[in-house]
Amino acid sequence: MMSLPPIAGLDADAVSHFVQSVLKEDLGLGGDVTTDLTIPADARLIATIQTREQIAVAGIDLAQVFFEALDPDVRVERLARDGDELQAGAPIMRVEGRARPMLSAERSALNTLQHLTGIATLTRSYANMIAGTSCILLDTRKTIPGLRAIEKYAARMGGAHNHRMRLDDGILIKDNHVAICGSIEAAVRAAKAGKSALPVQVEVDTIDQIEPALKAGADRLLFDNMSVEMLREGVALVAGRVPIEASGGVRLDTIRAIAETGVTYVSVGRITQSAPAADIGLDYTIAA
């Protein structure tokens, strides 16, 4: 494969590994036998990839690499950029090259583009719902195993901020940690005693857990599955001492009210966990 720049949150080696793994999964050991048996070796095609619905696009660069991986001489014209909002019918990219490799790369390229664009599109819907507030939209670790980097990239393209790429880049004390430690205070003090440079965030489920968490030294609070009324009460009690994240069961029809309570952040797992694939199509014409 050609030398690659960093793409979609992946470094060059990771891009190469991802693309080759996906192509191997699709082509197997024998390759695209249908295409090889039915399409003349010298046939050429022009493909137009366009959206059939309103989207926030993500994954264009990765889609291009799939075509280039099977035909280094393919010509790709990108007609949009990741993060762009496109209306139904808008073209995303045009591809011209040899028919056999183009047909063989098509599904891998489209699957990736549709999946990442679906995440970006759903994320944009959530981001738009809290526009004008001071609240920041966060994603979560609820991603498909092995696809976290590109799924979180797609969330960024949709307007979210990434929160905890891995377990080693943030301390988040949850209810299971508290249960084993015996109390919120014990869990927070244990985390602080480790003298990590990472801030300590702790999940609280009730209002009466807030002060013990703060007194133990928590640097950030996560209000888990609290009602809007509880969120307002918690925000007033914290009174700006630490940032607050609201999480748990956040939906499009509830996120605005949550953001307006004054929380610093709101995290939404479903933008990566449950986003439907975008409706993106590919149409061919025979090249002269």
Side-chain angles (χ1 to χ4, degrees):
M1 183 180 287
M2 75 296 295
S3 176
L4 295 169
I7 292 174
L10 302 173
D11 62 28
D13 288 342
V15 173
S16 179
H17 175 74
F18 173 75
V19 170
Q20 294 291 359
S21 295
V22 172
L23 288 172
K24 182 178 180 181
E25 177 183 65
D26 207 30
L27 297 174
L29 298 177
D32 183 355
V33 293
T34 305
T35 294
D36 292 344
L37 289 171
T38 61
I39 304 300
D42 60 350
R44 294 182 62 82
L45 292 175
I46 299 173
T48 300
I49 298 175
Q50 63 185 31
T51 180
R52 295 168 178 158
E53 61 180 339
Q54 183 174 336
I55 59 169
V57 68
I60 295 174
D61 290 343
L62 271 178
Q64 176 175 339
V65 175
F66 282 108
F67 291 110
E68 293 174 340
L70 296 187
D71 180 4
D73 298 321
V74 71
R75 294 170 54 191
V76 178
E77 180 185 8
R78 285 176 286 181
L79 303 173
R81 296 180 300 177
D82 282 355
D84 285 353
E85 191 160 323
L86 304 178
Q87 301 301 313
I92 298 172
M93 61 195 303
R94 289 194 183 94
V95 185
E96 180 177 353
R98 292 186 289 124
R100 283 184 178 180
M102 195 180 300
L103 288 165
S104 298
E106 170 191 328
R107 180 45 50 198
S108 295
L110 272 183
N111 284 352
T112 302
L113 184 61
Q114 289 170 331
H115 179 57
L116 297 187
T117 296
I119 290 172
T121 301
L122 183 59
T123 303
R124 183 68 55 85
S125 298
Y126 277 90
N128 287 342
M129 288 300 295
I130 61 174
T133 73
S134 60
C135 189
I136 296 170
L137 177 64
L138 300 178
D139 60 15
T140 72
R141 287 170 42 246
K142 293 179 180 177
T143 56
I144 295 175
L147 299 185
R148 178 169 297 162
I150 63 172
E151 290 185 340
K152 279 181 168 280
Y153 166 81
R156 289 199 306 276
M157 293 301 98
H161 290 228
N162 293 151
H163 180 40
R164 284 220 302 172
M165 294 294 293
R166 304 174 307 275
L167 289 171
D168 66 353
D169 65 11
I171 297 171
L172 175 53
I173 298 170
K174 305 192 79 174
D175 53 358
N176 288 332
H177 302 104
V178 171
I180 295 169
C181 288
S183 69
I184 278 185
E185 299 98 310
V188 173
R189 289 191 183 113
K192 299 292 281 191
K195 306 218 179 277
S196 168
L198 297 170
V200 175
Q201 182 178 17
V202 60
E203 176 184 289
V204 297
D205 306 303
T206 62
I207 298 298
D208 60 9
Q209 292 176 317
I210 293 174
E211 284 299 340
L214 293 177
K215 287 179 180 178
D219 301 297
R220 179 164 159 173
L221 299 179
L222 186 151
F223 289 177
D224 185 46
N225 282 298
M226 288 190 179
S227 66
V228 168
E229 292 73 20
M230 288 179 67
L231 289 172
R232 289 198 191 99
E233 184 180 353
V235 168
L237 181 60
V238 173
R241 285 178 283 175
V242 297
I244 300 169
E245 174 186 343
S247 185
V250 181
R251 306 188 308 270
L252 273 173
D253 62 337
T254 62
I255 191 171
R256 181 77 188 191
I258 291 170
E260 290 175 343
T261 64
V263 295
T264 319
Y265 307 99
V266 57
S267 57
V268 182
R270 67 185 64 206
I271 60 178
T272 49
Q273 185 186 47
S274 309
D279 189 0
I280 295 172
L282 186 154
D283 297 307
Y284 285 113
T285 56
I286 298 175

